[in-house]
Amino acid sequence: MDETRARRLSTVHALLDGYGSLSVPTLLSNTSPDFYHQVLPESLGMVPRNRESFAQHAAGIFNVFDEFRMVPKSIVDDAPGNMAVVHARMQGVLKGGAGEWINECVMMIQLTPDATQVVRVTEFVDSAKALEMARKHAPDDFGCDADGDKEKSARSAKGEYIYDGAVNFKPTRLMVGLGLVQVVVLIFLLYLAQGVFSFEFWGESETCF
């Protein structure tokens, strides 16, 4: 292993070990002054953080764990890009008897030219687990858009129409309308069952039932 590659991997492992230390100074010890951290997917609503705001975020997360480890399952070393991609298992023990926490992530870690400091981390996380953390365990300033999810759930429970900003409507009152439609369809099918109605289906004339 050449010296530069060994240095890259050493810096990456130091970052991963920093998470396991549950110590913010240790986590930040090999990050550059202009360090930048972003959690993806963007649908989680977690804003990018500079070194200072990342430190505050990490302190809040560390505070909910008694133990934590970032275990690399695979590391891809990108020499030309001076970076590494890590697929890691996140496992820990939550405070207050809340039990074990298991998650995983993929981190793209950009290093300084001499490979001694981390400049940027782009982290893809399990969205479902991130929302669970935000709702049940994390501090209020976790940054994940769980509050909006809670509001949607409350509105849905009241029978309101909810549009999630993309393609999913979540109406509960619609169920009543669907019940009425089913009654109408049933009556219509009874007529069809008597053999008094035929229709064209893919060019063929058929009688239902």
Side-chain angles (χ1 to χ4, degrees), residues 98-128:
E100 189 177 33
W101 179 262
I102 302 294
N103 199 356
E104 63 181 327
C105 68
V106 173
M107 307 171 74
M108 294 181 288
I109 305 171
Q110 184 69 54
L111 306 176
T112 52
D114 63 1
T116 60
Q117 292 184 313
V118 177
V119 175
R120 180 187 182 108
V121 173
T122 303
E123 182 178 352
F124 284 85
V125 300
D126 182 326
S127 299

Side-chain angles (χ1 to χ4, degrees), residues 17-28 54-68 93 95 139:
D17 291 343
Y19 281 96
S21 72
L22 294 180
S23 164
V24 174
T26 301
L27 176 62
L28 296 179
F54 175 73
Q56 296 171 351
H57 174 74
I61 298 301
F62 286 174
N63 194 47
V64 306
F65 285 100
D66 279 328
E67 300 176 19
F68 186 83
V93 177
K95 289 184 177 180

Side-chain angles (χ1 to χ4, degrees), residues 2-207:
D2 67 82
E3 182 180 349
T4 305
R5 182 170 186 268
R7 193 182 305 124
R8 277 195 305 274
L9 293 178
S10 176
T11 301
V12 167
H13 279 289
L15 176 70
L16 300 178
D17 291 343
Y19 281 96
S21 72
L22 294 180
S23 164
V24 174
T26 301
L27 176 62
L28 296 179
S29 62
N30 70 336
T31 58
S32 66
D34 58 346
F35 174 76
Y36 178 94
H37 182 270
Q38 183 174 18
V39 173
L40 297 174
E42 293 181 351
S43 59
L44 287 173
M46 299 185 73
V47 299
R49 294 180 170 90
N50 60 20
R51 194 173 190 267
E52 181 180 356
S53 58
F54 175 73
Q56 296 171 351
H57 174 74
I61 298 301
F62 286 174
N63 194 47
V64 306
F65 285 100
D66 279 328
E67 300 176 19
F68 186 83
R69 293 180 62 205
M70 187 79 82
V71 183
K73 300 182 72 172
S74 63
I75 299 178
V76 177
D77 178 46
D78 178 6
N82 197 32
M83 63 181 298
V85 178
V86 179
H87 176 204
R89 173 184 172 92
M90 298 182 282
Q91 59 187 58
V93 177
L94 294 160
K95 289 184 177 180
E100 189 177 33
W101 179 262
I102 302 294
N103 199 356
E104 63 181 327
C105 68
V106 173
M107 307 171 74
M108 294 181 288
I109 305 171
Q110 184 69 54
L111 306 176
T112 52
D114 63 1
T116 60
Q117 292 184 313
V118 177
V119 175
R120 180 187 182 108
V121 173
T122 303
E123 182 178 352
F124 284 85
V125 300
D126 182 326
S127 299
K129 296 292 285 186
L131 289 171
E132 180 184 346
M133 171 62 73
R135 293 190 192 105
K136 295 183 178 181
H137 309 293
D140 292 338
D141 60 351
F142 181 68
C144 189
D145 191 18
D147 290 338
D149 244 32
K150 292 176 183 176
E151 181 182 352
K152 288 179 182 179
S153 298
R155 290 175 58 195
S156 180
K158 294 178 182 178
E160 298 180 15
Y161 285 91
I162 297 172
Y163 179 60
D164 66 4
V167 295
N168 298 317
F169 279 100
K170 301 176 183 177
T172 56
R173 289 177 182 169
L174 182 59
M175 297 305 296
V176 177
L178 288 175
L180 294 175
V181 170
Q182 288 174 341
V183 172
V184 174
V185 170
L186 179 59
I187 294 172
F188 181 64
L189 290 177
L190 288 175
Y191 279 104
L192 295 180
Q194 297 175 15
V196 297
F197 184 84
S198 65
F199 66 99
E200 293 296 322
F201 181 72
W202 292 105
E204 298 180 3
S205 181
E206 300 182 1
T207 300

